[in-house]
Amino acid sequence: MQAIEDLPLEEEHVSDDSCASKCASNHPDLLSNQNNFLIDEEFYFFENTQYSVDKDGTISVPVEMGYQAEEASIAIDRCGSAGLDTPVAELSDFICAAQMAKEADFHLEKDGNSDCGKSLSIDWDTDDELEIESMPFSSGVGPATARQEVFAGCGEASSSNGSQTSRTIHHFVGMGFPKDMVIRAMKENGERDIEAILEALLTYSQIHLMQALEDLPLEEEPVSDDSCASMCASNHPDLLSDQNKFPIDEENTHYSIDKDETISVLVEMGYQAEEASIAIDRCGLDTPVAELSDFICAAQMAKEADFHLEKHTEAYIPKDKRKIPRTEAWNLKQPRGIVKEQMVQDDEEFRLPNPMTGFGVPSETWSIVHRTLPEAALGPPYFYYENVAMTPRGVWCTISRFLYDIAPEFVDSKYFCAAARKRGYIHNLPIHNRFQILPPPPLKIHKTFPHTKKWWPSWDARDQLNCLLTCVGSAKLTERIRNKLEESAGEPPVHVKKYVMEQCKRWNLIWVGKNNAATIEPEEIEILMGFSVNHTRGVNRTDRFKALGNAFQVDTVGYHLSVLKSLFPGGINLLSLFSGIGGAEVALHRLGIPLKNVVSVELSEPCRTIVRNWWEETNQKGNLIHIADVQEVTAERIAQWISRFGGFDLVIGGSPCNNLAGRNHVSRDGLEGKHSSLFFDYFRILDLVKSMMSQY
DNA sequence: CAAATTATGACTGGCACA
DNA sequence: TGTGCCAGTCATAATTTG
């Protein structure tokens, strides 16, 4: 049996009440789904808000709340004192305050805001988790008065009671609590007793969570089907009736209704609800939307500039870690046969190893002696992250810090096939007893493409190709080369050779006829990348080049994943993010690891088609679930999948490199770039899976 | 209008040299 | 330590073609 599912796109408006209630009246099932989503999120926030002292885990919460990861990191650096126990509420307020203060040249300096700028000394290796986890909720957050000060003190002084109340509502809504639930909690506990409100919200949430877990549907359900709606309503009476328990009466909401409408407009324009709220607070409720929009834009630009600045200061680097001089960095050249344990260093960046062989490649008989993973990095699930090795400065340092402080394994695929491909991999897989996918491909061009040997000039010394990219040279270039070569009868002059070699190396040309240096064909790239010939057949040529240029080198990734074979003899459940043409799936399949359930997330429709075709052609026995956008991978869906499959064994993906890659001269913007910032979705999803599976 | 083609030219790290 | 040169790089945007 083989089931292929294409889930419908669904929009989630977590904080948009008008929409929520509108949807509720039309589609009760949407309401229940919405509640499911929120309940999961709430529980997640609850866990992290009060108990977690893991920096990465804590970062994920503000990121979920709509803040930049960098901001979150800095906020934790600033607010965290003895460990990372600053409540997310405080961190959130700190970030808000920082954002609002941009205009006034507020900088996150060591001796800045006295309310938030606590001790700067953080021990990242703190062992306080257990102690803090065992603390009762009430003792973990301090007295209510202190928390109220945080609300008013970290940000701009509140101008009115209404504004304060509104901020409080927004604060909790921003944490993922439904607004009606917040209002009820405020009504029952008084608007100023923040701790009591939070406690009430957490109590409600736990009740919801228990109900949601009991009622978790085992099948993906189309959300727009009316018959399903009634079914959902009958299956989840509690959820629906709960909604009715929190009627929004005008009396309690009059102070925020206008503001919420304005926020809704701004959210529809693409701004974050938090930003909109801050802008309204700053500019006044009667400010035209255009002006509010300008205010937010200005704040965003100021914020970006500020945080870029931070990147290059010590503040960006965790405080207590020993600064390692560059010359002592872990990945400087080591004598062959001796490789030190690799740990993350807080130097400016990682240096790329030479030779780029990671923890070993098949041709090297030596191997890594030992590596110790940070405790937070351990599975389940196993995870595997990939991106280009040569990024703008500091990118791998940031990626590594998010991915639980694991040092990247930099590997060049020239040790696995006849083309170079320098990539960094961060994973928590075992590194011993790796083996290659059989048969191993040849490492030389002439072995891979024997027909080229006849035409290869003696003065072209290449025996391997450079990195296979997303587009190839022009036919005109081949023509120019032919013309230059034909000008001279015998051996071409030195300057011609030099020109031709430059072009051949730049465009990965291969000799397919006399004086004919041609661009490489999609089928040839498929072979080099470890796919079967015509793996990408069926989509247009341009898209084939693009998809192949973005793909995993299957033999390289397969070598790293091979350790899973003995660990999961019965097969694995796979969450594949940014799947592309399915390099991860192909690698596992070629290793002989059965694919039980595969959730494959890929935006490109042609790529999804390729994977679906491959799935059918290789007679896969498992289930393939295709999702288009990583943004659709919500906590609710992850919870459903985990419940259904019993968890994921591997979360794998290489997030977009567009804004990191050296070939991009236009928008090499780093991790903040339009595409490459999707890395934070990889982290978000991985962290959700980890967090849920630890409770499973 | 989609697909194919082409021109464009910015970073980075390694290396030699002073 | 600084400088200059060089090779290499999961690309983008404009233009042409069919």
Side-chain angles (χ1 to χ4, degrees), chain A residues 15 45 49-50 61 65 67 87-96 147 150-152 154 163-179 182 186 194-195 197-198 201 259-260 263 273-274 277-278 281:
Chain A
S15 58
F45 291 153
T49 302
Q50 299 305 330
V61 181
M65 290 165 70
Y67 300 114
V88 170
E90 277 187 45
L91 295 173
S92 167
D93 282 346
F94 179 83
I95 299 172
C96 285
R147 291 185 54 77
V150 168
F151 267 76
C154 244
S163 171
Q164 172 66 47
T165 309
S166 177
R167 282 182 61 80
T168 308
I169 292 173
H170 266 279
H171 179 83
F172 287 115
V173 169
M175 288 171 68
F177 296 106
K179 197 172 88 178
V182 174
M186 289 172 71
I194 304 300
E195 187 181 337
I197 295 168
L198 185 56
L201 288 169
K259 181 177 172 183
D260 283 352
I263 289 173
E274 290 283 341
S277 173
I278 292 163
D281 285 347

Side-chain angles (χ1 to χ4, degrees), chain A residues 367-495:
Chain A
S367 64
I368 292 291
V369 178
H370 185 58
R371 89 155 170 169
T372 307
L373 290 172
E375 196 171 332
L378 302 175
Y382 286 113
F383 71 90
Y384 189 86
Y385 174 80
E386 180 258 15
N387 216 318
V388 292
M390 282 178 277
T391 63
R393 284 172 175 273
V395 167
W396 272 110
C397 188
T398 304
I399 292 174
S400 171
R401 214 166 54 227
F402 272 87
L403 297 181
Y404 314 103
D405 273 347
I406 300 177
E409 176 175 13
F410 291 108
V411 181
D412 190 337
S413 292
K414 73 178 183 180
Y415 301 103
F416 292 86
C417 69
R421 199 168 187 81
K422 297 177 181 67
R423 296 293 179 267
Y425 305 90
I426 289 184
H427 60 85
N428 61 351
L429 293 164
I431 57 172
H432 292 288
N433 303 316
R434 290 168 163 178
F435 59 89
Q436 279 186 283
I437 293 172
L438 295 174
L443 300 183
K444 306 294 182 192
I445 297 171
H446 295 156
K447 297 272 187 187
T448 311
F449 307 123
H451 63 285
T452 62
K453 194 169 185 179
K454 180 179 175 185
W455 309 108
W456 211 271
S458 59
W459 42 268
D460 183 349
R462 291 177 300 154
D463 61 0
Q464 289 195 304
L465 294 169
N466 284 332
C467 186
L468 299 162
L469 305 174
T470 53
C471 44
V472 295
S474 63
K476 281 193 175 178
L477 176 62
T478 299
E479 195 56 33
R480 280 197 295 269
I481 288 172
R482 186 203 302 276
N483 291 338
K484 290 237 181 208
L485 290 173
E486 286 180 351
E487 283 171 10
S488 50
E491 183 97 351
V494 175
H495 72 275

